[in-house]
């Protein structure tokens, strides 16, 4: 294999690995569904967005709370 061809192959492999890893990132919170979800702690319905909170686990699971105190 010539040097130029080997470099192109290495560059293509690098770009493929970069593209494969682009979808991996830190978990982000999802939008909470007011009136449809309940608090994971006290089981009250999520009513007002200004009081809701969410915990995002390292696996990406969102745990909703109706109040930061919960």
């Amino acid at each position: 294999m010539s040097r130029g061809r080997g470099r192109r192959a290495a560059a293509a492999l690098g770009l493929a690995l970069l593209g494969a890893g682009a979808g991996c990132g830190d978990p982000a919170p999802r939008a909470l569904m007011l009136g449809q979800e309940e608090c994971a702690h006290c089981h009250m319905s999520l009513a007002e967005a200004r009081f809701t909170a969410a915990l995002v686990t390292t696996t990406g699971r969102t745990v909703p709370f109706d109040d930061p105190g919960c």
Side-chain angles (χ1 to χ4, degrees), residues 10-70:
L13 177 61
L15 286 174
L17 291 174
L18 181 66
C24 300
D26 293 331
R30 62 169 172 78
L32 298 175
M33 297 180 291
L34 300 177
Q36 298 176 10
E37 284 187 278
E38 58 181 37
C39 176
H41 178 72
C42 69
H43 304 289
M44 288 182 64
S45 178
L46 302 180
E48 293 187 52
R50 65 183 176 153
F51 295 121
T52 60
L55 171 90
V56 180
T57 65
T58 57
T59 60
R61 182 174 160 245
T62 301
V63 182
F65 298 98
D66 76 319
D67 183 83
C70 286

Side-chain angles (χ1 to χ4, degrees), residues 1-19:
M1 190 182 290
S2 70
R3 283 187 179 207
R5 192 172 182 194
R7 287 182 184 163
R8 283 193 299 262
L13 177 61
L15 286 174
L17 291 174
L18 181 66

